[in-house]
Coordinates of all heavy atoms in Angstrom, one line a residue:
M28 N -4.7 9.8 -5.6 CA -4.7 8.3 -5.5 C -5.8 7.9 -4.5 O -6.2 8.7 -3.7 CB -3.4 7.9 -5.0 CG -3.0 8.5 -3.7 SD -1.9 7.5 -2.7 CE -2.7 5.9 -2.9
T29 N -6.2 6.6 -4.7 CA -7.4 6.2 -3.9 C -7.0 4.9 -3.1 O -6.5 4.0 -3.7 CB -8.5 5.9 -4.9 OG1 -8.8 7.1 -5.7 CG2 -9.8 5.5 -4.1
F30 N -7.4 4.9 -1.9 CA -7.4 3.7 -1.1 C -8.8 3.2 -0.9 O -9.7 4.0 -0.5 CB -6.8 4.0 0.3 CG -5.3 4.1 0.4 CD1 -4.7 5.3 0.2 CD2 -4.5 3.0 0.7 CE1 -3.3 5.4 0.2 CE2 -3.2 3.1 0.7 CZ -2.5 4.3 0.5
T31 N -9.1 2.0 -1.1 CA -10.4 1.4 -0.8 C -10.2 0.4 0.4 O -9.4 -0.5 0.3 CB -11.0 0.6 -2.0 OG1 -11.2 1.6 -3.1 CG2 -12.4 0.1 -1.6
V32 N -11.0 0.6 1.4 CA -10.9 -0.2 2.6 C -11.9 -1.4 2.4 O -13.1 -1.1 2.5 CB -11.1 0.6 3.9 CG1 -11.0 -0.3 5.1 CG2 -10.2 1.8 4.0
E33 N -11.4 -2.5 2.2 CA -12.2 -3.7 1.8 C -13.2 -4.0 3.0 O -14.4 -4.3 2.7 CB -11.3 -4.9 1.6 CG -12.1 -6.1 1.0 CD -11.1 -7.1 0.6 OE1 -10.6 -7.1 -0.6 OE2 -10.8 -8.0 1.4
E34 N -12.8 -3.9 4.2 CA -13.7 -4.3 5.3 C -15.0 -3.4 5.4 O -16.0 -3.9 5.7 CB -12.9 -4.1 6.6 CG -13.6 -4.7 7.8 CD -12.8 -4.7 9.1 OE1 -11.8 -4.0 9.1 OE2 -13.1 -5.5 10.0
T35 N -14.9 -2.2 5.0 CA -16.0 -1.3 5.1 C -16.5 -0.8 3.7 O -17.6 -0.2 3.7 CB -15.7 0.0 5.9 OG1 -14.6 0.7 5.3 CG2 -15.3 -0.4 7.4
G36 N -15.7 -1.0 2.7 CA -16.1 -0.4 1.4 C -15.8 1.0 1.3 O -16.1 1.6 0.2
R37 N -15.2 1.6 2.3 CA -15.0 3.1 2.3 C -13.8 3.4 1.3 O -12.8 2.7 1.2 CB -14.6 3.5 3.7 CG -14.4 5.0 3.8 CD -14.3 5.4 5.3 NE -13.7 6.7 5.5 CZ -12.9 7.1 6.4 NH1 -12.6 6.2 7.4 NH2 -12.4 8.3 6.5
E38 N -14.0 4.5 0.6 CA -13.0 4.9 -0.4 C -12.5 6.2 0.0 O -13.2 7.2 0.3 CB -13.7 5.0 -1.8 CG -12.8 4.9 -2.9 CD -13.5 4.7 -4.2 OE1 -13.8 3.6 -4.6 OE2 -13.9 5.8 -4.8
L39 N -11.1 6.3 0.1 CA -10.5 7.6 0.4 C -9.6 8.1 -0.7 O -8.7 7.4 -1.2 CB -9.6 7.4 1.7 CG -10.3 6.9 2.9 CD1 -10.1 5.4 3.2 CD2 -9.8 7.7 4.1
V40 N -9.9 9.2 -1.2 CA -9.1 9.9 -2.2 C -8.2 10.8 -1.6 O -8.6 11.8 -0.9 CB -10.0 10.6 -3.3 CG1 -9.2 11.2 -4.4 CG2 -11.0 9.6 -3.9
L41 N -6.9 10.6 -1.7 CA -5.9 11.3 -0.9 C -4.9 12.0 -1.8 O -4.6 11.6 -2.9 CB -5.1 10.3 0.0 CG -5.9 9.5 0.9 CD1 -5.1 8.5 1.7 CD2 -6.7 10.4 1.9
D42 N -4.4 13.1 -1.3 CA -3.3 13.9 -2.0 C -2.0 13.3 -1.4 O -1.8 13.4 -0.2 CB -3.5 15.3 -1.7 CG -2.4 16.2 -2.3 OD1 -1.5 15.6 -3.0 OD2 -2.4 17.4 -2.0
A43 N -1.1 12.8 -2.3 CA 0.1 12.2 -1.8 C 1.2 13.2 -1.7 O 2.3 12.8 -1.2 CB 0.5 11.1 -2.8
S44 N 1.0 14.4 -2.1 CA 2.2 15.4 -2.1 C 2.7 15.6 -0.7 O 2.0 15.6 0.3 CB 1.8 16.7 -2.7 OG 0.6 17.2 -2.1
G45 N 4.0 15.7 -0.7 CA 4.7 16.0 0.6 C 5.1 14.7 1.3 O 5.7 14.8 2.4
H46 N 4.9 13.5 0.7 CA 5.3 12.3 1.3 C 6.2 11.5 0.4 O 6.1 11.7 -0.9 CB 4.0 11.4 1.6 CG 3.1 12.0 2.6 ND1 3.4 12.1 3.9 CD2 1.9 12.7 2.5 CE1 2.4 12.7 4.6 NE2 1.5 13.1 3.7
A47 N 7.0 10.6 0.9 CA 7.9 9.8 0.1 C 7.3 8.5 -0.3 O 7.6 8.0 -1.4 CB 9.2 9.6 0.9
T48 N 6.4 7.9 0.5 CA 5.8 6.6 0.2 C 4.3 6.7 0.4 O 3.8 7.5 1.2 CB 6.4 5.5 1.0 OG1 6.0 5.6 2.4 CG2 8.0 5.5 0.9
L49 N 3.7 5.7 -0.2 CA 2.2 5.6 0.0 C 1.9 5.1 1.4 O 0.8 5.4 1.9 CB 1.6 4.7 -1.1 CG 1.9 5.3 -2.5 CD1 1.2 4.4 -3.5 CD2 1.5 6.7 -2.6
M50 N 2.8 4.4 2.1 CA 2.5 4.1 3.5 C 2.4 5.3 4.3 O 1.5 5.5 5.1 CB 3.6 3.2 4.0 CG 3.5 2.8 5.5 SD 4.2 4.0 6.6 CE 6.0 3.7 6.4
Q51 N 3.3 6.3 4.1 CA 3.3 7.5 4.8 C 2.0 8.3 4.5 O 1.4 8.9 5.4 CB 4.5 8.4 4.4 CG 5.8 7.8 4.9 CD 7.0 8.5 4.4 OE1 6.9 9.3 3.4 NE2 8.2 8.2 4.9
V52 N 1.5 8.3 3.3 CA 0.3 9.0 2.9 C -0.9 8.3 3.7 O -1.7 9.0 4.3 CB 0.0 8.8 1.4 CG1 -1.4 9.4 1.0 CG2 1.1 9.5 0.6
A53 N -0.9 7.0 3.7 CA -2.0 6.3 4.4 C -2.0 6.5 5.9 O -3.0 6.7 6.5 CB -1.9 4.8 4.1
V54 N -0.8 6.5 6.5 CA -0.7 6.6 8.0 C -1.1 8.0 8.3 O -1.9 8.3 9.3 CB 0.7 6.3 8.4 CG1 0.9 6.8 9.9 CG2 1.0 4.8 8.3
E55 N -0.7 9.0 7.6 CA -1.1 10.4 7.9 C -2.6 10.6 7.8 O -3.1 11.4 8.6 CB -0.4 11.3 6.8 CG -0.8 12.7 6.8 CD 0.1 13.6 7.7 OE1 1.1 13.2 8.2 OE2 -0.3 14.8 7.9
A56 N -3.2 9.9 6.9 CA -4.7 10.0 6.7 C -5.5 9.1 7.5 O -6.7 9.0 7.4 CB -5.0 9.9 5.2
D57 N -4.8 8.3 8.4 CA -5.5 7.3 9.2 C -6.3 6.3 8.4 O -7.4 6.0 8.8 CB -6.4 8.0 10.3 CG -5.5 8.6 11.3 OD1 -4.5 8.1 11.7 OD2 -6.0 9.7 11.8
V58 N -5.7 5.8 7.3 CA -6.4 4.8 6.5 C -6.6 3.5 7.4 O -5.5 3.0 7.8 CB -5.7 4.5 5.2 CG1 -6.4 3.4 4.4 CG2 -5.7 5.8 4.3
P59 N -7.8 3.1 7.6 CA -7.9 1.9 8.5 C -7.2 0.7 7.8 O -7.3 0.4 6.6 CB -9.4 1.6 8.5 CG -10.0 3.0 8.2 CD -9.1 3.6 7.2
G60 N -6.5 -0.1 8.7 CA -5.8 -1.3 8.2 C -4.3 -1.0 7.8 O -3.6 -2.0 7.5
I61 N -3.9 0.2 7.7 CA -2.5 0.6 7.4 C -1.9 1.2 8.6 O -2.3 2.2 9.1 CB -2.4 1.6 6.2 CG1 -3.1 1.0 5.0 CG2 -0.9 1.9 6.0 CD1 -2.4 -0.2 4.3
V62 N -0.9 0.5 9.2 CA -0.2 0.9 10.4 C 1.2 1.4 10.2 O 1.6 2.4 10.7 CB -0.2 -0.2 11.4 CG1 0.5 0.2 12.7 CG2 -1.6 -0.7 11.7
G63 N 1.9 0.7 9.3 CA 3.3 1.2 9.1 C 4.2 1.1 10.3 O 5.1 1.9 10.5
E64 N 4.0 0.0 11.0 CA 4.6 -0.2 12.3 C 6.2 -0.1 12.3 O 6.8 0.4 13.2 CB 4.2 -1.6 12.9 CG 4.5 -1.8 14.3 CD 3.8 -3.1 14.8 OE1 2.6 -3.3 14.6 OE2 4.6 -4.0 15.2
C65 N 6.8 -0.7 11.3 CA 8.3 -0.7 11.2 C 8.9 0.5 10.5 O 10.1 0.6 10.4 CB 8.7 -2.0 10.5 SG 8.5 -2.0 8.7
G66 N 8.0 1.4 10.1 CA 8.5 2.7 9.5 C 9.1 2.5 8.1 O 9.8 3.4 7.6
G67 N 8.8 1.4 7.5 CA 9.2 1.2 6.1 C 10.4 0.3 6.0 O 11.1 0.2 4.9
E68 N 10.7 -0.4 7.0 CA 11.9 -1.3 7.0 C 11.6 -2.7 6.4 O 12.4 -3.6 6.4 CB 12.5 -1.5 8.4 CG 13.0 -0.2 9.0 CD 14.2 0.4 8.3 OE1 15.0 -0.4 7.9 OE2 14.2 1.6 8.1
M69 N 10.4 -2.9 6.0 CA 9.9 -4.2 5.4 C 10.0 -5.4 6.4 O 10.3 -6.5 6.1 CB 10.7 -4.6 4.1 CG 10.4 -3.7 3.0 SD 11.2 -4.3 1.5 CE 12.8 -3.6 1.7
T70 N 9.7 -5.1 7.7 CA 9.7 -6.1 8.7 C 8.4 -6.4 9.3 O 8.3 -7.3 10.2 CB 10.8 -5.8 9.8 OG1 10.4 -4.6 10.4 CG2 12.2 -5.8 9.2
C71 N 7.3 -5.6 9.0 CA 6.1 -5.7 9.8 C 4.9 -6.2 8.9 O 4.0 -6.9 9.4 CB 5.7 -4.4 10.5 SG 5.2 -3.1 9.4
G72 N 4.8 -5.8 7.7 CA 3.7 -6.2 6.8 C 2.4 -5.4 7.1 O 1.4 -5.8 6.5
T73 N 2.5 -4.5 8.0 CA 1.3 -3.7 8.3 C 0.9 -2.6 7.4 O 0.1 -1.8 7.7 CB 1.3 -3.2 9.8 OG1 2.4 -2.2 9.8 CG2 1.6 -4.3 10.8
C74 N 1.5 -2.6 6.2 CA 1.2 -1.7 5.2 C 0.8 -2.4 3.9 O 0.8 -1.8 2.8 CB 2.4 -0.7 4.9 SG 3.8 -1.6 4.2
H75 N 0.4 -3.7 4.1 CA 0.0 -4.5 2.9 C -1.2 -4.0 2.2 O -2.2 -3.7 2.8 CB -0.2 -5.9 3.4 CG -0.7 -6.9 2.4 ND1 -1.7 -7.8 2.6 CD2 -0.4 -7.0 1.1 CE1 -1.9 -8.5 1.5 NE2 -1.1 -8.0 0.5
V76 N -1.1 -3.8 0.9 CA -2.2 -3.4 0.0 C -2.3 -4.3 -1.2 O -1.3 -4.9 -1.6 CB -2.1 -1.9 -0.4 CG1 -2.2 -1.0 0.8 CG2 -0.7 -1.7 -1.1
H77 N -3.4 -4.3 -1.9 CA -3.5 -4.9 -3.2 C -3.6 -3.7 -4.2 O -4.5 -2.8 -4.0 CB -4.8 -5.7 -3.3 CG -4.8 -6.9 -2.4 ND1 -6.0 -7.6 -2.1 CD2 -3.9 -7.5 -1.7 CE1 -5.7 -8.6 -1.3 NE2 -4.4 -8.5 -1.0
V78 N -2.8 -3.8 -5.2 CA -2.8 -2.7 -6.2 C -4.0 -3.1 -7.2 O -3.9 -4.2 -7.8 CB -1.5 -2.6 -7.0 CG1 -1.6 -1.7 -8.1 CG2 -0.4 -2.2 -6.0
E79 N -4.9 -2.2 -7.3 CA -6.1 -2.5 -8.2 C -5.9 -1.9 -9.6 O -6.3 -2.4 -10.6 CB -7.4 -1.9 -7.6 CG -7.8 -2.6 -6.4 CD -9.2 -2.2 -6.0 OE1 -9.4 -0.9 -5.9 OE2 -10.0 -3.0 -5.7
S80 N -5.2 -0.8 -9.7 CA -5.1 -0.1 -10.9 C -3.8 0.8 -10.9 O -3.6 1.5 -9.9 CB -6.3 0.7 -11.2 OG -6.1 1.7 -12.2
T81 N -3.0 0.7 -11.9 CA -1.7 1.4 -11.9 C -1.8 2.4 -13.1 O -2.0 1.9 -14.2 CB -0.5 0.5 -12.1 OG1 -0.6 -0.6 -11.1 CG2 0.8 1.2 -12.0
P82 N -1.6 3.7 -12.9 CA -1.6 4.6 -14.0 C -0.4 4.4 -14.9 O 0.7 4.0 -14.4 CB -1.6 6.0 -13.3 CG -1.1 5.7 -11.9 CD -1.4 4.3 -11.6
A83 N -0.5 4.8 -16.1 CA 0.6 4.8 -17.0 C 1.7 5.6 -16.5 O 1.5 6.7 -15.9 CB 0.2 5.3 -18.4
G84 N 2.9 5.1 -16.5 CA 4.1 5.9 -16.1 C 4.5 5.6 -14.6 O 5.5 6.1 -14.2
Y85 N 3.6 4.9 -13.9 CA 4.0 4.6 -12.5 C 4.6 3.2 -12.5 O 3.9 2.2 -12.8 CB 2.8 4.6 -11.6 CG 3.2 4.5 -10.2 CD1 3.7 5.5 -9.4 CD2 3.1 3.2 -9.5 CE1 4.1 5.4 -8.1 CE2 3.5 3.1 -8.2 CZ 4.0 4.2 -7.5 OH 4.4 4.0 -6.2
T86 N 5.8 3.1 -12.1 CA 6.5 1.8 -11.9 C 7.2 1.8 -10.6 O 7.7 2.8 -10.1 CB 7.5 1.6 -13.0 OG1 8.5 2.7 -13.0 CG2 6.9 1.5 -14.4
A87 N 7.2 0.6 -10.0 CA 7.9 0.4 -8.7 C 8.1 -1.1 -8.6 O 7.2 -1.9 -8.3 CB 7.1 0.9 -7.5
A88 N 9.3 -1.6 -9.0 CA 9.5 -3.0 -9.0 C 9.6 -3.6 -7.5 O 10.0 -2.9 -6.6 CB 10.8 -3.3 -9.7
R89 N 9.2 -4.8 -7.4 CA 9.3 -5.5 -6.1 C 10.8 -5.9 -5.9 O 11.4 -6.5 -6.7 CB 8.5 -6.8 -6.1 CG 7.0 -6.6 -5.8 CD 6.4 -8.0 -5.7 NE 5.0 -7.9 -5.6 CZ 4.2 -8.9 -5.9 NH1 4.7 -10.1 -6.3 NH2 2.9 -8.8 -5.8
S90 N 11.3 -5.7 -4.7 CA 12.6 -6.2 -4.3 C 12.5 -7.6 -3.8 O 11.4 -8.0 -3.4 CB 13.2 -5.3 -3.3 OG 12.6 -5.4 -2.1
H91 N 13.6 -8.3 -3.6 CA 13.6 -9.6 -3.0 C 13.1 -9.5 -1.6 O 12.3 -10.4 -1.2 CB 15.0 -10.1 -3.1 CG 15.1 -11.6 -3.3 ND1 14.4 -12.2 -4.2 CD2 15.9 -12.5 -2.7 CE1 14.7 -13.5 -4.2 NE2 15.7 -13.7 -3.3
D92 N 13.5 -8.5 -0.9 CA 13.1 -8.4 0.5 C 11.6 -8.2 0.6 O 10.9 -8.7 1.5 CB 13.8 -7.3 1.2 CG 15.3 -7.6 1.5 OD1 15.6 -8.8 1.4 OD2 16.1 -6.7 1.7
E93 N 11.0 -7.4 -0.3 CA 9.6 -7.2 -0.3 C 8.8 -8.5 -0.6 O 7.8 -8.8 0.1 CB 9.2 -6.1 -1.3 CG 7.7 -5.8 -1.3 CD 7.2 -4.7 -2.2 OE1 8.0 -4.2 -3.0 OE2 6.0 -4.4 -2.2
E94 N 9.3 -9.2 -1.6 CA 8.7 -10.5 -1.9 C 8.7 -11.4 -0.7 O 7.7 -12.1 -0.4 CB 9.3 -11.1 -3.1 CG 9.0 -10.3 -4.4 CD 9.3 -11.0 -5.6 OE1 9.9 -12.1 -5.6 OE2 9.0 -10.4 -6.7
D95 N 9.8 -11.5 0.0 CA 9.9 -12.3 1.2 C 8.8 -11.9 2.3 O 8.2 -12.8 2.8 CB 11.3 -12.2 1.9 CG 12.3 -12.9 1.1 OD1 12.0 -13.7 0.2 OD2 13.5 -12.7 1.4
M96 N 8.7 -10.6 2.5 CA 7.7 -10.2 3.5 C 6.3 -10.5 3.0 O 5.4 -10.9 3.8 CB 7.8 -8.6 3.7 CG 7.0 -8.1 4.8 SD 7.6 -8.7 6.4 CE 6.1 -9.3 7.1
L97 N 6.0 -10.4 1.7 CA 4.7 -10.6 1.2 C 4.3 -12.1 1.3 O 3.1 -12.4 1.2 CB 4.6 -10.1 -0.3 CG 4.6 -8.6 -0.4 CD1 4.7 -8.2 -1.9 CD2 3.3 -8.0 0.2
E98 N 5.2 -13.0 1.5 CA 4.9 -14.4 1.7 C 4.3 -14.7 3.0 O 3.7 -15.7 3.2 CB 6.2 -15.2 1.5 CG 6.7 -15.3 0.1 CD 7.9 -16.2 0.0 OE1 8.3 -16.9 1.0 OE2 8.5 -16.2 -1.1
V99 N 4.3 -13.7 4.0 CA 3.8 -14.0 5.3 C 2.6 -13.0 5.7 O 2.2 -13.1 6.8 CB 4.9 -13.9 6.4 CG1 5.9 -15.0 6.1 CG2 5.6 -12.6 6.4
V100 N 2.2 -12.2 4.8 CA 1.1 -11.3 5.1 C -0.3 -12.0 5.0 O -0.3 -13.1 4.3 CB 1.0 -10.0 4.1 CG1 2.3 -9.2 4.3 CG2 0.9 -10.5 2.7
D101 N -1.3 -11.5 5.6 CA -2.6 -12.0 5.5 C -3.2 -11.7 4.1 O -2.8 -10.6 3.6 CB -3.6 -11.4 6.5 CG -3.4 -12.0 7.9 OD1 -2.8 -13.1 8.0 OD2 -3.9 -11.5 8.9
A102 N -4.0 -12.5 3.5 CA -4.7 -12.2 2.3 C -3.8 -11.8 1.1 O -4.0 -10.8 0.5 CB -5.8 -11.1 2.5
P103 N -2.8 -12.6 0.9 CA -1.9 -12.3 -0.3 C -2.7 -12.4 -1.6 O -3.6 -13.2 -1.7 CB -0.8 -13.3 -0.2 CG -1.4 -14.4 0.6 CD -2.4 -13.9 1.5
A104 N -2.3 -11.6 -2.6 CA -2.9 -11.6 -3.9 C -1.9 -11.3 -4.9 O -0.8 -10.8 -4.6 CB -4.1 -10.6 -3.9
P105 N -2.2 -11.6 -6.2 CA -1.2 -11.2 -7.2 C -0.7 -9.8 -7.2 O 0.4 -9.4 -7.5 CB -1.9 -11.6 -8.5 CG -2.9 -12.6 -8.1 CD -3.3 -12.3 -6.7
G106 N -1.6 -8.9 -6.8 CA -1.3 -7.5 -6.8 C -0.8 -7.0 -5.4 O -0.8 -5.8 -5.2
S107 N -0.4 -7.9 -4.6 CA 0.0 -7.5 -3.2 C 1.3 -6.7 -3.3 O 2.2 -7.0 -4.0 CB 0.3 -8.7 -2.4 OG -0.9 -9.3 -1.9
R108 N 1.3 -5.6 -2.5 CA 2.5 -4.8 -2.3 C 2.6 -4.3 -0.9 O 1.6 -4.2 -0.2 CB 2.5 -3.6 -3.3 CG 2.6 -3.9 -4.7 CD 3.8 -4.6 -5.2 NE 5.1 -3.9 -4.8 CZ 5.8 -3.1 -5.6 NH1 5.4 -2.9 -6.9 NH2 6.9 -2.6 -5.2
L109 N 3.8 -3.9 -0.5 CA 4.0 -3.1 0.7 C 3.9 -1.7 0.3 O 4.7 -1.2 -0.5 CB 5.3 -3.5 1.4 CG 5.5 -4.9 1.8 CD1 7.0 -5.1 2.3 CD2 4.5 -5.4 2.8
A110 N 3.0 -0.9 0.9 CA 2.8 0.5 0.6 C 4.0 1.3 0.9 O 4.3 2.3 0.3 CB 1.6 1.0 1.3
C111 N 4.9 0.8 1.8 CA 6.1 1.5 2.2 C 7.1 1.4 1.1 O 8.1 2.1 1.1 CB 6.7 1.0 3.5 SG 7.3 -0.7 3.5
Q112 N 6.9 0.5 0.1 CA 7.8 0.3 -1.0 C 7.3 1.0 -2.3 O 7.8 0.8 -3.4 CB 8.1 -1.1 -1.2 CG 8.7 -1.8 0.0 CD 10.0 -1.0 0.5 OE1 10.9 -0.8 -0.3 NE2 10.0 -0.6 1.7
L113 N 6.1 1.7 -2.2 CA 5.6 2.4 -3.3 C 5.8 3.8 -3.2 O 5.3 4.5 -2.3 CB 4.0 2.1 -3.4 CG 3.6 0.6 -3.5 CD1 2.1 0.5 -3.5 CD2 4.2 0.1 -4.9
P114 N 6.7 4.4 -4.0 CA 7.1 5.8 -3.9 C 6.0 6.7 -4.4 O 5.3 6.3 -5.3 CB 8.4 5.8 -4.8 CG 8.2 4.8 -5.8 CD 7.4 3.7 -5.1
V115 N 6.1 7.9 -3.9 CA 5.2 9.0 -4.4 C 6.0 9.6 -5.6 O 7.1 10.1 -5.4 CB 4.9 10.0 -3.4 CG1 4.2 11.2 -4.0 CG2 4.1 9.4 -2.2
T116 N 5.4 9.5 -6.8 CA 6.0 10.1 -8.0 C 4.9 11.0 -8.6 O 3.8 10.9 -8.3 CB 6.5 9.1 -8.9 OG1 5.4 8.5 -9.6 CG2 7.4 8.0 -8.3
P117 N 5.3 11.8 -9.6 CA 4.3 12.6 -10.3 C 3.2 11.7 -11.0 O 2.1 12.2 -11.2 CB 5.1 13.3 -11.4 CG 6.5 13.4 -10.8 CD 6.7 12.1 -10.1
A118 N 3.5 10.4 -11.2 CA 2.5 9.5 -11.9 C 1.6 8.8 -11.0 O 0.7 8.0 -11.4 CB 3.3 8.5 -12.7
V119 N 1.6 9.1 -9.7 CA 0.9 8.4 -8.7 C -0.6 8.7 -8.6 O -1.4 8.0 -8.1 CB 1.5 8.6 -7.3 CG1 1.1 9.9 -6.6 CG2 1.2 7.4 -6.4
A120 N -1.0 9.8 -9.3 CA -2.3 10.4 -9.1 C -3.5 9.3 -9.3 O -4.4 9.3 -8.6 CB -2.5 11.6 -10.0
G121 N -3.4 8.5 -10.3 CA -4.4 7.6 -10.7 C -4.3 6.2 -10.0 O -5.1 5.3 -10.3
L122 N -3.4 6.1 -9.1 CA -3.2 4.7 -8.5 C -4.4 4.4 -7.6 O -4.8 5.2 -6.9 CB -1.9 4.8 -7.7 CG -1.4 3.4 -7.2 CD1 -1.0 2.5 -8.3 CD2 -0.1 3.7 -6.3
R123 N -4.8 3.1 -7.7 CA -5.9 2.7 -6.8 C -5.4 1.5 -6.0 O -4.9 0.5 -6.6 CB -7.1 2.2 -7.7 CG -7.8 3.4 -8.4 CD -9.1 2.9 -9.1 NE -10.0 2.6 -8.1 CZ -10.9 3.4 -7.6 NH1 -10.9 4.7 -7.9 NH2 -11.8 3.0 -6.7
L124 N -5.5 1.6 -4.7 CA -5.1 0.5 -3.8 C -6.2 0.0 -3.0 O -7.1 0.8 -2.6 CB -4.0 1.0 -2.9 CG -2.7 1.7 -3.6 CD1 -1.8 2.2 -2.5 CD2 -2.0 0.6 -4.4
R125 N -6.2 -1.2 -2.6 CA -7.2 -1.8 -1.8 C -6.6 -2.3 -0.5 O -5.5 -3.0 -0.6 CB -8.0 -3.0 -2.5 CG -9.0 -3.7 -1.6 CD -9.7 -4.7 -2.4 NE -10.6 -4.1 -3.4 CZ -11.9 -3.7 -3.2 NH1 -12.4 -4.0 -2.0 NH2 -12.6 -3.1 -4.1
V126 N -7.1 -2.0 0.6 CA -6.6 -2.5 1.9 C -7.4 -3.8 2.2 O -8.6 -3.7 2.4 CB -6.8 -1.5 3.0 CG1 -6.2 -2.0 4.3 CG2 -6.1 -0.2 2.7
P127 N -6.7 -4.9 2.2 CA -7.5 -6.2 2.4 C -8.1 -6.3 3.8 O -7.5 -5.8 4.7 CB -6.4 -7.3 2.1 CG -5.1 -6.6 2.3 CD -5.3 -5.2 2.0
A128 N -9.2 -6.9 3.9 CA -9.9 -7.1 5.2 C -9.1 -8.1 6.0 O -8.5 -9.0 5.4 CB -11.3 -7.6 4.9
P129 N -9.0 -7.9 7.3 CA -8.3 -8.8 8.1 C -9.0 -10.2 8.1 O -10.2 -10.3 8.0 CB -8.4 -8.2 9.5 CG -9.4 -7.2 9.5 CD -9.6 -6.8 8.0
S130 N -8.1 -11.2 8.1 CA -8.7 -12.6 8.0 C -9.0 -13.1 9.4 O -8.7 -12.5 10.4 CB -7.7 -13.5 7.3 OG -6.5 -13.5 8.0
Ligands
FES219 S1 5.8 -0.3 7.1 FE1 6.5 -2.2 7.8 S2 6.5 -3.4 6.0 FE2 5.8 -1.5 5.3

């Protein structure tokens, strides 16, 4: 899976194995702009990403609580998600996420 850091244009191709969520993958790899401050409790918004491309077979529906949190993040977009709510599954390999630049 790939994270693109909008602020620098840097692209990081990461192995998600061994992690439960994409927030954990990003924090472990020190992806700039992903902090995961609340540990996945959907209260901080510091794992906000834009989904650029979703591989076939990868699904993760937004919950009501996630949608509420996404209403207050910087740079919201139609593909906005909380990376802590994106599970690592066998289908995650081709997923492409963008970390929005701070406003
Ligand atoms: S880690 Fe806090 S909302 Fe995702």
Side-chain angles (χ1 to χ4, degrees):
M28 58 152 314
T29 306
F30 282 88
T31 301
V32 181
E33 191 172 271
E34 190 173 20
T35 60
R37 187 169 163 215
E38 202 168 270
L39 298 102
V40 180
L41 304 176
D42 178 2
S44 56
H46 298 285
T48 70
L49 299 185
M50 177 274 283
Q51 293 172 346
V52 174
V54 168
E55 170 94 9
D57 288 325
V58 174
I61 301 291
V62 178
E64 196 173 301
C65 74
E68 298 295 320
M69 288 188 281
T70 58
C71 71
T73 63
C74 65
H75 175 219
V76 294
H77 296 166
V78 176
E79 292 191 311
S80 163
T81 307
Y85 186 81
T86 56
R89 280 185 187 160
S90 68
H91 216 42
D92 288 343
E93 182 179 4
E94 290 191 358
D95 286 348
M96 188 69 233
L97 289 170
E98 286 181 12
V99 297
V100 296
D101 280 346
S107 283
R108 294 298 307 260
L109 298 176
C111 66
Q112 301 306 304
L113 298 175
V115 173
T116 73
V119 81
L122 190 65
R123 294 186 68 88
L124 304 175
R125 175 173 293 269
V126 182
S130 56

